[in-house]
Amino acid sequence: MSDAYDYFKAHAVAAVRRARSLPFGRLKYKQRTVARVYHLLAKEAAFGPNVDHLDDFRAARKAERQIQDNR
């Protein structure tokens, strides 16, 4: 396993935990979507070079920050 895999997997787990703590609604749905993106990035990072996933990771982090700002 690569470091990127572990990093993305940790973010996916944290995002799922945040989603579970939210009440039902749009923000919970968005947070779960972010968690799915992190999970997919972790899967891809296990097979490919680490640098190729940075733009996707930054987009997911930006979406997650927007969700947290809307709370």
Side-chain angles (χ1 to χ4, degrees):
M1 283 190 249
S2 68
D3 293 333
Y5 171 81
D6 296 330
Y7 190 71
F8 291 144
K9 191 67 172 179
H11 277 283
V13 170
V16 167
R17 287 183 181 150
R18 274 188 229 105
R20 287 180 180 166
S21 69
L22 291 172
F24 287 104
R26 188 176 188 109
L27 290 179
K28 183 173 190 149
Y29 176 76
K30 287 182 179 180
Q31 185 65 42
R32 290 193 65 185
T33 302
V34 169
R36 286 186 198 112
V37 169
Y38 285 138
H39 184 71
L40 289 173
L41 286 171
K43 282 180 159 180
E44 289 181 7
F47 296 110
N50 299 345
V51 179
D52 294 341
H53 307 290
L54 289 177
D55 292 333
D56 298 332
F57 176 72
R58 288 182 184 131
R61 289 294 290 173
K62 182 179 176 184
E64 191 170 16
R65 281 191 214 109
Q66 289 174 345
I67 292 169
Q68 290 175 353
D69 292 342
N70 288 334
R71 277 185 169 186

